[in-house]
Amino acid sequence: MELFEVPLYDDDFIKMIGRYAINLLTVTVLVRLVYYRRSRSKDYLFTFYMLSTVVFFICFTLKKLELELGMAMGLFAIFGVLRYRTDTMPIREMSYLFTVIGIGVINSLANLKVSWLELIMANSVMTALPAWLESMPLLRQESQEEVLYEKMELVHPDRYEELLADLEERTGLTISRLEIGKIDLVRDCVTITIFYHPHQQSVQDVDGVNISRRGKRL
């Protein structure tokens, strides 16, 4: 059956549903279980899901037009350099953005020469590798807060344990490291940069209102 000389159905429809299901599952594991679990930031969840979905359907649709390799690579490059004109996206989020774009392209453009096992392997690696890197203590995402601290007597190296305990008590943060900055002897205060892992902090829920802390992510 055709409508305006366009078939209402062909076998690629089932293929599209199957591949999109794999694509959506992979992006969910990557974004929800890897990225959000570590960053606790919802700012880019909508972007990751929508961009991966849009790229998938664009590539799947255009694949049937038999694009030349140069044009296909140009299309991929356009999405790869995509920038938002609001806030600058941190480099880690840009890495996840590029990954979800790649996942959408791979799942949509894979042809009959790519077996299901190869496709599953590619998706598995692109989700397992970020999860492994995020679990490494050296590469865990950190946020930072800069505070003006008035207890100058605790800044002495012999009292760093008291300094750390006091900052954790007053800020409610589980601190991973500190950097002592500018010391102002005139105003008797010091600038301290606090570093902490977002996923280690408790999230409060008061009367249905979610309260979390937004820090500068590194």
Side-chain angles (χ1 to χ4, degrees), residues 63-176:
K63 183 178 68 172
K64 305 190 72 172
L65 301 180
E66 298 182 356
L67 295 178
E68 295 182 357
L69 179 61
M71 186 175 181
M73 292 300 295
L75 176 65
F76 180 72
I78 290 175
F79 287 103
V81 299
L82 185 65
R83 294 295 180 91
Y84 293 94
R85 296 302 180 183
T86 54
D87 296 333
T88 302
M89 180 177 286
I91 187 64
R92 186 177 295 252
E93 275 71 16
M94 280 295 295
S95 300
Y96 276 100
L97 181 63
F98 186 75
T99 303
V100 298
I101 291 174
I103 290 172
V105 171
I106 290 173
N107 289 324
S108 61
L109 294 182
N111 54 29
L112 295 178
K113 296 180 180 179
V114 180
S115 67
W116 287 107
L117 186 59
E118 291 172 321
L119 192 62
I120 293 174
M121 180 63 182
N123 282 273
S124 299
V125 170
M126 296 179 74
T127 53
L129 182 59
W132 177 66
L133 293 175
E134 289 280 16
S135 66
M136 297 178 64
L138 183 63
L139 299 179
R140 286 177 183 170
Q141 185 172 29
E142 279 188 325
S143 294
Q144 68 178 45
E145 294 280 357
E146 191 174 273
V147 299
L148 197 61
Y149 193 68
E150 81 287 357
K151 294 184 179 181
M152 292 291 294
E153 67 276 8
L154 297 184
V155 181
H156 193 278
D158 292 337
R159 306 186 66 180
Y160 278 168
E161 290 185 5
E162 297 178 59
L163 172 64
L164 177 60
D166 185 58
L167 286 171
E168 288 188 336
E169 174 67 24
R170 297 171 69 176
T171 62
L173 293 172
T174 301
I175 298 173
S176 59

Side-chain angles (χ1 to χ4, degrees), residues 25 27-38 49 131:
L25 177 62
V27 172
T28 299
V29 172
L30 177 67
V31 173
R32 183 64 181 85
L33 301 183
V34 179
Y35 169 75
Y36 179 72
R37 183 180 177 184
R38 296 292 177 180
Y49 273 107

Side-chain angles (χ1 to χ4, degrees), residues 169-189:
E169 174 67 24
R170 297 171 69 176
T171 62
L173 293 172
T174 301
I175 298 173
S176 59
R177 60 190 177 97
L178 299 173
E179 285 185 0
I180 298 176
K182 182 179 178 181
I183 298 177
D184 192 334
L185 296 178
V186 176
R187 293 189 295 171
D188 200 31
C189 60

